[in-house]
Amino acid sequence: MSPPDLLVICADLDLLGQVRAWVRKRAGRGDFSDSDLDDIDLAVTEAVSNVIRHAYGGQSDQHVTIGARFEGPRFVVSILDTGPPFEKTPSARPLDSPHEGGYGLQLISAVMDDVIRTRLPDGHNELRLVRERSRPERE
């Protein structure tokens, strides 16, 4: 297991491009296809934008820490924030539902192999996004 590379940003949606480039560079060290890298980009973008919009309510004086590392065959992105504790996992909604928004975790779960939400003892929320280098077959 490699030590994580860390990126700390202000909670500003204008920095999402920087986050995507930073994560993609690290993920690119693995044996991922362009499609895999696009899925990782999508998940990270959705997760970090959710932190900025929902956990921080758009307050740009807050910070988001993004970690990235390989754990054997797994690429793990860890997103840390100090917003309110995670709400319980919402139930999945049909994707053809007329509602705008509210599909973030569902979308992230669809493109990643594992998604783990944890409230850490130090008060941080951690969202771990995991992608296998050699993906198991999806149902």
Side-chain angles (χ1 to χ4, degrees), residues 86-100:
F86 289 124
E87 294 180 21
K88 70 178 197 167
T89 303
S91 57
R93 290 194 291 186
L95 293 177
D96 60 355
S97 171
H99 302 284
E100 283 190 28

Side-chain angles (χ1 to χ4, degrees), residues 10-13 47-64 81-85 87 125:
C10 292
D12 183 341
L13 292 172
V48 174
S49 66
N50 280 349
V51 168
I52 294 168
R53 287 185 176 123
H54 304 296
Y56 292 147
Q59 296 175 357
S60 61
D61 62 334
Q62 301 295 318
H63 292 90
V64 183
D81 70 77
T82 56
E87 294 180 21
N125 293 307

Side-chain angles (χ1 to χ4, degrees), residues 71-89:
E71 295 178 356
R74 300 161 39 115
F75 180 66
V76 179
V77 177
S78 176
I79 300 164
L80 297 165
D81 70 77
T82 56
F86 289 124
E87 294 180 21
K88 70 178 197 167
T89 303

Side-chain angles (χ1 to χ4, degrees), residues 102-121:
Y103 298 101
L105 287 174
Q106 194 173 344
L107 177 63
I108 292 167
S109 294
V111 299
M112 299 303 285
D113 292 308
D114 203 4
V115 178
I116 303 126
R117 297 169 20 145
T118 308
R119 180 73 170 182
L120 301 175

Side-chain angles (χ1 to χ4, degrees), residues 110-135:
V111 299
M112 299 303 285
D113 292 308
D114 203 4
V115 178
I116 303 126
R117 297 169 20 145
T118 308
R119 180 73 170 182
L120 301 175
D122 67 2
H124 283 86
N125 293 307
E126 179 184 35
L127 181 65
R128 288 174 48 97
L129 310 176
V130 179
R131 184 64 175 244
E132 300 285 339
R133 284 189 196 160
S134 173
R135 292 189 78 191

